[in-house]
Amino acid sequence: MNDILGKYKDGGINYTFRYAKKEDKRKIIEFYESMDNESIYFRFLSFYKDFSSHVEKIFGEKNKYGFAVIGEDEEKNIAALGENFSYSIDSAELAFIVSPHHRKRGLGTIVAAFLILGSYIRGIKIMEAYFHAENSPAYKIGLKMGLNMEFEEDVYHGKAPLEKIYTIALNTLKEKGVQVYLDIKK
């Protein structure tokens, strides 16, 4: 697979989206460590702090169909990170976080779309997401991507067949003006 998934420009900043590699582990850990408590709480649904262990799981053998997408600015700083955890072909969990300095630029939507397309390519059947009830930007992205969002306690749980939503993700990238380099043919 091509390393570069796409390119996007917003507010004079050029962003590149690519698959994360094992060599990115330290960079991903530092990205999480740079986030404020609320961002971490919304991403992990707790005040999670064991980022090293978490990053190992991204690249671990159990995460057989999973992967991560990094959105970087021109200085190669991570601006957005998306992770897809999948232990079987049946379903995958979509999760993402955007640096406070790069929010309101559509990066969360772009990362979510690339996670959906990457999951589709891998043959995964169902995409799922869990968003804190107060994380309205993530909730809106879930709706936009076609996930059927239902409220369960303090969390919105979204779920949809990838067969039905991959075209939504592809069209969203085109509408945002993202140059897509990913070939979505299975």
Side-chain angles (χ1 to χ4, degrees):
M1 282 188 210
N2 185 4
D3 281 349
I4 302 295
L5 302 173
K7 293 188 177 200
Y8 175 67
K9 184 174 185 171
D10 181 77
I13 300 173
N14 292 307
Y15 295 97
T16 301
F17 295 85
R18 64 178 177 84
Y19 287 118
K21 302 175 199 161
K22 288 184 180 185
E23 301 85 61
D24 292 315
K25 286 181 184 180
R26 171 74 357 232
K27 191 173 184 176
I28 294 169
I29 292 166
E30 289 170 359
F31 174 73
Y32 274 126
E33 289 173 344
S34 75
M35 292 293 105
D36 59 88
N37 285 337
E38 182 180 68
S39 297
I40 293 300
Y41 189 79
F42 281 173
R43 163 58 189 89
F44 291 99
L45 302 177
S46 71
F47 290 110
Y48 192 83
K49 292 291 181 192
D50 188 3
F51 305 124
S52 184
S53 179
H54 173 75
V55 171
E56 287 298 324
K57 289 178 187 173
I58 294 171
F59 298 101
E61 288 183 31
K62 286 186 179 180
N63 193 20
K64 187 175 179 181
Y65 299 95
F67 58 97
V69 171
I70 292 176
E72 295 173 313
D73 63 17
E74 295 155 320
E75 285 82 39
K76 302 286 184 200
N77 296 312
I78 297 178
L81 174 66
E83 301 159 355
N84 173 334
F85 286 92
S86 183
Y87 303 114
S88 77
I89 201 162
D90 296 329
S91 70
E93 182 182 347
L94 172 131
F96 53 89
I97 185 169
V98 178
S99 168
H101 306 297
H102 295 278
R103 290 188 182 149
K104 299 188 185 272
R105 296 177 181 272
L107 303 182
T109 300
I110 293 168
V111 167
F114 279 126
L115 289 170
I116 289 168
L117 294 175
S119 299
Y120 177 76
I121 290 168
R122 287 165 174 77
I124 295 168
K125 306 294 181 208
I126 303 289
M127 181 60 65
E128 293 190 68
Y130 298 89
F131 303 126
H132 191 279
E134 293 178 22
N135 190 352
S136 61
Y139 171 77
K140 289 175 185 174
I141 290 169
L143 288 176
K144 184 176 193 155
M145 292 294 121
L147 300 177
N148 299 314
M149 303 299 290
E150 294 184 17
F151 187 72
E152 300 172 3
E153 295 181 33
D154 291 340
V155 175
Y156 282 101
H157 176 219
K159 192 174 186 178
L162 277 156
E163 184 87 6
K164 292 185 178 182
I165 65 170
Y166 82 94
T167 54
I168 294 170
L170 189 58
N171 289 335
T172 298
L173 292 173
K174 288 179 182 176
E175 289 168 10
K176 291 194 125 329
V178 177
Q179 284 183 290
V180 178
Y181 300 107
L182 179 67
D183 182 7
I184 64 151
K185 295 175 189 159
K186 281 205 286 190

